[in-house]
Amino acid sequence: MRENKKVVVAITQAKSEPWETIWREGQLPTWVNRYRNEFRIVNTSGIPMGKSWTFFDQMHERNRYKNQLGKWQGRADHIFVPWLRRNIPTWKSLRAEESGIEEIQIQTNSSYIFAGRRLLGVIKWFVEQTQEPFLFVTTTSSFLNLRILEEKIEKYDSNSLVYSGHLLGDDSRKFVSGAGQLLSRSTAEVILENFRAYPHRMLNDVALSELLYSKGIVPEHIPWSWLRSEEEARLFEFKNSANIFHYRVKTKDYPRSDHRIMQIIHSRLLSLSERKLISY
């Protein structure tokens, strides 16, 4: 019986490497396993890709941080936009025999190109299939302390238009990072009512903010901590950051080492929690 009835945590995952390893060896045995019986945690993905799409995504991931190549790659992505805005995809439940965690497959391609459609599909599933007043959408490269998230949610009116998370962008037009977006049910309903205004030509977190800005919904900042290496995770002062619930662990390594950073965070938070120095 789950104790928390206020928030659904949806992890958006690509069913390809390096994200499969990060999920299986990072999230699943650490914070997901710790909270699985208290919170509704779902793993969401798209339809598995074939070899060509998998190669396409892996090349995109390798090139995205290269200035010129990454820029032209982003421009080429725009040719897919007409395919993306036609509707909101449906979903189906998958049998989670290996992980034991609820798994939802959004009925659209799992390539990064379709990230906006998958996000809209997750929001539609939340509105139509759950009762909790809040949804926290996160990614495979995130470590969550749900005890702290639970405390932060307490300050919100369940019926208010909540759009919160770590803010990025310039001062005039900030947006909530797609690594962790807190939405109230009321905000989710606004998104679904206006899904055709979702600008798929943009990255999905920027696109969501543009849609919500147009409806007068302004983002609120909830800071994260980004630990970019195993060394940073070993040295981080968790006791001095007791109000942080979201640890971003996305690395630029190839192959990625996100899962090892999660293992370090989990071990350290467990130790601090056992000594009653932090809530975890």
Side-chain angles (χ1 to χ4, degrees), residues 219-237:
E220 179 182 349
H221 184 55
I222 303 178
W224 67 17
S225 287
W226 192 339
L227 304 181
R228 293 173 168 83
S229 68
E230 294 174 62
E231 182 180 11
E232 285 189 15
R234 292 189 184 97
L235 297 176
F236 187 75
E237 293 288 343

Side-chain angles (χ1 to χ4, degrees), residues 2-273:
R2 294 187 180 92
E3 298 175 15
N4 185 284
K5 301 292 185 181
K6 288 199 170 183
V7 62
V8 174
V9 177
I11 303 165
T12 59
Q13 183 201 339
K15 292 295 187 181
S16 59
E17 293 298 342
W19 300 280
E20 287 274 47
T21 295
I22 296 168
W23 159 249
R24 187 177 59 252
E25 298 181 17
Q27 288 184 314
L28 188 56
T30 59
W31 67 269
V32 171
N33 186 60
R34 181 168 180 81
Y35 293 117
R36 65 195 305 166
N37 296 321
E38 296 181 58
F39 294 80
R40 188 170 186 179
I41 302 172
V42 297
N43 177 288
T44 72
S45 62
I47 298 170
M49 298 181 292
K51 290 183 179 179
S52 296
W53 274 109
T54 299
F55 176 77
F56 180 76
D57 264 23
Q58 288 175 344
M59 289 299 295
H60 187 277
E61 177 66 16
R62 292 186 188 188
N63 295 330
R64 63 186 298 189
Y65 300 111
K66 298 175 183 177
N67 290 335
Q68 291 302 317
L69 190 55
K71 183 182 296 184
W72 281 104
Q73 183 173 260
R75 291 172 180 169
D77 291 346
H78 290 185
I79 66 174
F80 293 93
V81 169
W83 297 0
L84 307 178
R85 57 165 58 117
R86 61 191 184 277
N87 58 22
I88 301 178
T90 57
W91 66 87
K92 70 176 182 179
S93 296
L94 301 179
R95 296 179 64 186
E97 295 178 353
E98 181 179 346
S99 69
I101 297 296
E102 184 177 4
E103 294 193 29
I104 303 296
Q105 185 184 82
I106 306 302
Q107 298 299 286
T108 193
N109 193 306
S110 60
S111 168
Y112 80 94
I113 287 287
F114 296 84
R117 283 178 58 77
R118 292 197 302 276
L119 175 60
L120 292 173
V122 170
I123 294 171
K124 181 179 174 69
W125 168 84
F126 166 72
V127 168
E128 296 184 357
Q129 298 293 311
T130 73
Q131 299 298 319
E132 288 85 347
F134 293 96
L135 169 68
F136 188 76
V137 184
T138 189
T139 63
T140 319
S141 295
S142 292
F143 184 105
L144 304 181
N145 183 342
L146 295 186
R147 201 69 65 216
I148 305 301
L149 173 59
E150 189 175 36
E151 294 174 4
K152 291 189 179 297
I153 285 175
E154 289 295 329
K155 76 172 188 175
Y156 293 114
D157 180 342
S158 297
N159 297 313
S160 60
L161 294 168
V162 176
Y163 169 48
S164 304
H166 188 86
L167 295 185
L168 300 173
D170 60 39
D171 291 337
S172 62
R173 205 68 163 177
K174 290 187 180 295
F175 61 92
V176 174
S177 166
Q181 299 163 309
L182 180 64
L183 305 172
S184 63
R185 183 168 293 273
S186 297
T187 300
E189 290 169 349
V190 169
I191 294 167
L192 296 186
E193 290 168 2
N194 299 277
F195 80 92
R196 292 192 187 280
Y198 184 96
H200 287 278
R201 69 186 183 281
M202 300 177 176
L203 295 175
N204 63 333
D205 45 10
V206 180
L208 185 64
S209 75
E210 287 299 306
L211 188 158
L212 292 175
Y213 271 119
S214 74
K215 299 303 171 184
I217 301 174
V218 179
E220 179 182 349
H221 184 55
I222 303 178
W224 67 17
S225 287
W226 192 339
L227 304 181
R228 293 173 168 83
S229 68
E230 294 174 62
E231 182 180 11
E232 285 189 15
R234 292 189 184 97
L235 297 176
F236 187 75
E237 293 288 343
F238 288 99
K239 288 189 293 183
N240 297 330
S241 303
N243 65 329
I244 298 294
F245 76 89
H246 183 188
Y247 297 94
R248 181 74 163 145
V249 300
K250 185 174 184 178
T251 63
K252 293 185 179 180
D253 303 338
Y254 197 88
R256 299 262 286 269
S257 58
D258 308 27
H259 56 291
R260 291 195 292 273
I261 297 174
M262 291 188 198
Q263 293 163 7
I264 294 169
I265 295 172
H266 180 64
S267 177
R268 293 195 60 202
L269 289 181
L270 279 178
S271 176
L272 291 168
S273 178

